[in-house]
Amino acid sequence: MRLILCENYDELSEQAAKLVASQIILKPDSVIGLATGQTPMGMYKNLVKMYERGEVDFSNITTFNLDEYYPIKRGNDQSYYYYMNENLFSKINININKTHIPDGETKNPYKECDKYEEEIKKNGGIDLQILGIGQNGHIGFNEPDVSLYTETHLTDLTRNTIEANSRFFNNEDEVPKQALTMGIATILKSKKIILLASGANKSRVVSELLNGDINTSIPATMLKVHPDVVLICDKDAYSGIRLGVDIGGTSVKFAVVEDGKLIYKSSIGSNKGSCDTFIKEIAEECIRIKAKYPYKTIGVGTPGRITDGAVTASNLPFKNTHLAKELKKYIDMSINVDNDANCAALGEFEFGIGKDMDNIIMVTLGTGVGGGIIIDGRICHGRYSMGEIGHIIVQSKGGLPCACGQTGCWEQYASVTALIREATQACIEDKDSVLYELYSKNNNKLDGKLIFDALEQNCPVAKKVFDEYIEWLVIGLKNLINIFGPDAIILAGGITKRSNILIDAVRKSLDTPVKIEISKLQNDAGALGAAML
Ligand code: F6R
């Protein structure tokens, strides 16, 4: 689903009209599915203006309206028949014989529905369907139900819809209790779909639509199976405030994002006790933040393996823990969980170096080598462990054993752990070196910082180890470039923050048009990306 986020209702109406007009200009005999209600009124006004300016010719189009109340007289000013004439048909050069609206006066609604469906088929199906969305997530009058795969049918309106639509009638009793509506199956057969959502009272369903799973209690989520849906949404309907939570071994970071900007951040220590108390502490911080920043969605990044929503992480008390479900016990809203490295990549893509790019790979160099792959703006998950780039095999024979069970994994050579291991070995073998001096002064221990200190003091032992490290790093990066052809590879982690030594060396030996950059967001990337899940 593509999202066009508009500043306000006027912009939404203009954008929608432009898409409809383009469809008609490209295919003058298009079959257009039309919606009624408050939301498309501005779009119809814009289409009328375009017609008056001679920009669109409606004479060859065929239209099918989504729905009509049942029973209702055509002359009733609340009938959709009346609405379409008032708002569009009487103001443009449409051939009225080619317009179709389910007949709210029919004596046989079932036959009318079959006839309507047949007529759509006879006209070759709908090229472009316009939809609004009800506060309960209905599209057309497809109300929340257990089974939604229907064609045009007679349906009972829910209490919620009757209440919502009573604003157009004198009172609630006047609202017809039934409607004739295209079914979800009819709608999904359309070649393209534009869904319009305006106003804060739609923000809950829009958030569910964008962040939740397909489920029949929000019928609009069924649109997720359609390959060509554009959601045009104004800022009131699109909940701009989101919370991102990045769970780490030592701390949990929180970031509130509004309209693509970080507006607040905080962190708490990671609880190493029981799973329940840890989740409770995270939830409490979420609730505290919500009192000040009324976000509508939570995204959570976590280390470890996620299988069907259940997280198992070795450095945290999560063992088959369904994080979203557990958090929902305290805070009931849309919660999405993903791997922390994927979140960091998404953060860098949305807010950092990748902002104007389509495809990026983020490589985090730390204890291991982590990574996230974003292709066409989406995290690539694959079926099993896609994105576990630290475990691509770079040494087939005699490779070092890895905790994952393989041998020769990239992270055994390109992680900071590997760099420290090799540097320690080298300095012990050459005690007459700056590196050894730093090692012995530090209680016979090296860390990334000391290795860089030695490099800056031109220590040949450190230089040799570092050059070999860069060779291994570059082998993996070359593989990633060859497989994914990204716009950029973004390196993150403590050692990338230290001077330009690393990035200069990588760029020099890679020799590629692909941009090799250092993460702009570093420690904030995970929480920011989680907010955007
Ligand atoms: C109208 C229709 C309905 C509306 C929905 C939103 O033909 O099928 O699904 O699109 O109820 O209505 P408004 O735009 O009035 O909020």
Side-chain angles (χ1 to χ4, degrees), residues 420-440 444-446 459 461-462 465:
I420 294 172
R421 183 195 63 224
E422 292 303 311
T424 307
Q425 178 72 25
C427 78
I428 290 170
E429 282 168 16
D430 193 340
K431 298 203 165 90
D432 197 17
S433 62
V434 175
L435 193 60
Y436 184 77
E437 202 185 311
L438 295 172
Y439 165 83
S440 54
N444 290 349
K445 252 178 85 190
L446 278 180
C459 167
V461 176
V465 171

Side-chain angles (χ1 to χ4, degrees), residues 20-32 56-58 60-62 123-128 191-192:
V20 176
S22 316
Q23 169 70 37
I24 299 172
I25 290 164
L26 288 171
K27 186 172 183 256
D29 61 349
S30 289
V31 179
I32 310 280
V56 202
D57 174 9
F58 294 89
N60 281 316
I61 68 164
T62 300
N123 278 275
I126 291 167
D127 292 305
L128 174 66
K191 293 179 190 91
K192 291 185 197 139

Side-chain angles (χ1 to χ4, degrees), residues 35-40 66-67 80 132-134 138-140 167-168 202:
T36 54
Q38 190 123 29
T39 317
L66 261 176
D67 44 16
Y80 291 167
I133 184 167
H138 73 211
I139 45 175
R167 69 200 142 125
F168 301 117
K202 303 287 170 68

Side-chain angles (χ1 to χ4, degrees), residues 248-250 252 268-275 277-279 281 315-317:
T250 46
V252 183
I268 59 171
S270 291
N271 186 315
K272 294 284 164 57
S274 80
C275 177
T277 42
F278 189 29
I279 288 174
E281 281 172 17
N315 55 345
L316 291 167

Side-chain angles (χ1 to χ4, degrees), residues 357-411:
M357 299 177 180
D358 296 322
N359 311 302
I360 63 159
I361 299 177
M362 181 131 169
V363 179
T364 307
L365 306 171
T367 316
V369 174
I373 299 163
I374 309 279
I375 300 288
D376 289 335
R378 285 167 168 269
I379 296 173
C380 290
H381 288 106
R383 183 169 284 276
Y384 299 110
S385 50
M386 174 140 174
E388 290 292 350
I389 58 174
H391 299 280
I392 51 178
I393 293 171
V394 291
Q395 176 76 293
S396 61
K397 270 196 188 145
L400 292 167
C402 182
C404 74
Q406 300 180 147
T407 51
C409 290
W410 190 31
E411 74 173 22

